[in-house]
Amino acid sequence: MDTSFFLAWIKEAASAVQAERDHLTQLDAAIGDADHGANLDRGFAAVRQTLADTPPQTPGGVLVQAGSALIRKVGGASGPLYGTAFRQMGRALGDAPEITPADLVTALEAAQEGVQKLGGAAEGDKTLVDAFAPAVRALAQAVRDGAKLEDALETATAAAQEGAQATVPLQARKGRASYLGPRSVGHEDPGAASTALIFAALRRAAGQA
């Protein structure tokens, strides 16, 4: 995986968020501020502009620039959380021009750690962690088992999607949704839903490589 691979991931993620913008906003309307889709769409548009204006030279550079743009442009909790995830990934990858599947796992584990440290959320709290953590675990196991990258990412994407769906019966314990108490039950967490979209975009990028 080289710089072009990670640029393709960002492009796919931006397209997915744009396509699902209204759906993400509808999810957020039920338990949040009704702005998750719009905020994330604006953020990824800014990411693509930043990458076009100052083309990065390494995979890590792509991710650090992407994360910085998300932190600058996205309001609410999602900007700092996703921005931290991408920046932590980029820092973990350093200046390496080529990334192995094992490197990708290490970077995603660093991203998860950064998100959980910033937001204070654990699995079961009805946040993006409920999709992110199982996806990273599934990817790590698939890579250890010697799966091809695309197959490993297919497994990770399925885990993220299942994790997002599993937030529906949960009561939120973190974020704005937690203020609703029992009324947060019965709704998919928008951050978990967008996390599943971003992992699916990563899988599609692998399919193009």
Side-chain angles (χ1 to χ4, degrees):
M1 291 170 279
D2 58 10
T3 302
S4 64
F5 175 92
F6 287 90
L7 289 171
W9 178 24
I10 296 298
K11 180 180 178 181
E12 287 290 338
S15 296
V17 167
Q18 184 177 51
E20 294 295 321
R21 168 182 170 151
D22 291 345
H23 176 62
L24 293 173
T25 294
Q26 287 168 4
L27 292 177
D28 198 32
I31 57 174
D33 291 330
D35 60 2
H36 185 64
N39 280 346
L40 213 53
D41 184 31
R42 183 173 65 250
F44 272 100
V47 168
R48 293 195 65 185
Q49 187 62 55
T50 295
L51 295 174
D53 291 345
T54 311
Q57 302 303 308
T58 62
V62 173
L63 298 173
V64 169
Q65 283 184 227
S68 297
L70 288 171
I71 290 171
R72 286 195 309 271
K73 293 292 185 178
V74 181
S78 56
L81 289 170
Y82 278 126
T84 293
F86 281 112
R87 282 167 63 104
Q88 290 296 102
M89 284 189 74
R91 288 169 179 159
L93 295 178
D95 295 328
E98 296 275 347
I99 302 304
T100 67
D103 295 332
L104 180 62
V105 170
T106 298
L108 284 165
E109 288 173 340
Q112 181 187 330
E113 182 180 351
V115 165
Q116 291 191 255
K117 184 176 180 181
L118 179 63
E123 286 182 79
D125 284 344
K126 199 181 181 94
T127 71
L128 66 83
V129 173
D130 289 303
F132 207 112
V136 174
R137 276 198 305 273
L139 180 64
Q141 185 61 55
V143 170
R144 282 196 298 270
D145 290 344
K148 292 192 301 183
L149 178 62
E150 191 173 355
D151 293 339
L153 288 170
E154 183 72 42
T155 301
T157 297
Q161 291 168 342
E162 289 167 12
Q165 284 298 310
T167 65
V168 173
L170 297 178
Q171 179 172 325
R173 295 197 291 257
K174 292 290 181 182
R176 186 173 180 82
S178 65
Y179 303 155
L180 297 176
R183 287 182 293 151
S184 64
V185 173
H187 302 282
E188 184 180 357
D189 180 72
S194 58
T195 293
L197 290 177
I198 291 169
F199 271 95
L202 183 56
R203 179 198 65 204
R204 288 194 298 276
Q208 299 168 14

